[in-house]
Amino acid sequence: MDVIGDISYTDERAQKMLFSDEPMGEEKYILYADLSNMDVGTADFKSLDGKRVGVLLGAEPEIMLTEWENKNDIHTEHVNVYNNDDVEEKLANHEIECFVSLEESIWSEQGISSVTTIGKSGIYFAINKERNDIKTELDRAMRQLVQDSPFFKVDLYKKYFTLDYNQILTGKKNSGWKNMEPSG
């Protein structure tokens, strides 16, 4: 395979493949919670103190979660989760109250609420290490696209990936719960 999309950059991967100069988009990492099973009395982040959060341990999402917790002076217990099925099982068994996942519509369809965005990372085209010619042409095309249509990626993301929702917790105390009904 010469080109594949939607790949996060890591130094380890960069040793095996080339990456486009510009990201093709970004992934948002969201802290989700099943509020029907949570004893959360106020609408500030501090209500998450001591909760068990499902996250892939040792990976970028956990690093983002830890940075977000430090910024908000929150301490949670990180519980390893491998995939969406593992998250669903651990929620059902009350092994976790919250979890970190990419922004996906499957969670709102199951009544799971978005708490907040904890981080973002660029996603890139990865190119066969032997095909620098493809990388050169792809980078040129991506630069031209940005020049011709500066909001192309944002518009595409809004059209196909973004959920139009209100996040339910804020950094402020006593702000009350917000309506979580998707508007789109």
Side-chain angles (χ1 to χ4, degrees):
M1 190 174 299
D2 287 328
V3 179
I4 187 168
D6 200 19
I7 303 294
S8 298
Y9 177 91
T10 66
D11 290 337
E12 182 181 330
R13 289 176 181 161
Q15 294 173 12
K16 299 174 187 166
M17 58 188 85
L18 303 170
F19 282 87
S20 56
D21 288 346
E22 297 293 323
M24 61 180 282
E26 71 176 11
E27 296 178 317
K28 292 182 182 180
Y29 289 88
I30 310 289
L31 181 63
Y32 289 97
D34 182 354
L35 296 179
S36 64
N37 292 329
M38 276 183 69
D39 180 25
V40 179
T42 61
D44 67 285
F45 293 145
K46 273 304 209 179
S47 61
L48 299 171
D49 248 344
K51 300 292 185 210
R52 293 169 304 216
V53 180
V55 64
L56 184 59
L57 297 183
E60 189 68 20
E62 187 185 27
I63 293 166
M64 290 179 186
L65 176 62
T66 300
E67 288 173 357
W68 179 84
E69 289 172 336
N70 290 341
K71 187 177 109 181
N72 289 283
D73 194 29
I74 295 166
H75 308 282
T76 68
E77 178 187 340
H78 297 184
V79 177
N80 196 38
V81 291
Y82 297 100
N83 54 36
N84 290 352
D85 290 340
D86 194 24
V87 166
E88 289 175 7
E89 184 178 322
K90 285 185 168 129
L91 277 174
N93 293 334
H94 306 290
E95 295 174 49
I96 58 174
E97 290 97 4
C98 311
F99 61 95
V100 174
S101 179
L102 292 173
E103 181 179 41
E104 295 182 86
S105 61
I106 61 164
W107 300 121
S108 63
E109 290 164 6
Q110 295 180 34
I112 305 291
S113 300
S114 166
V115 175
T116 190
T117 302
I118 62 159
K120 301 174 185 178
S121 69
I123 50 174
Y124 296 82
F125 287 104
I127 302 119
N128 182 325
K129 195 105 171 156
E130 308 300 315
R131 297 299 310 265
N132 200 51
D133 60 319
I134 293 175
K135 176 181 169 17
T136 300
E137 187 61 24
L138 181 61
D139 287 338
R140 186 205 60 74
M142 290 178 77
R143 282 191 299 274
Q144 187 67 46
L145 182 61
V146 168
Q147 183 178 327
D148 293 347
S149 182
F151 301 106
F152 178 77
K153 284 191 286 192
V154 171
D155 292 342
L156 201 61
Y157 188 85
K158 282 182 183 174
K159 184 173 181 179
Y160 293 106
F161 297 106
T162 295
L163 299 172
D164 189 9
Y165 57 77
N166 292 319
Q167 293 176 336
I168 49 100
L169 295 182
T170 69
K172 301 173 188 156
K173 294 183 187 255
N174 301 321
S175 58
W177 295 107
K178 296 180 180 173
N179 181 6
M180 277 306 300
E181 292 298 314
S183 59

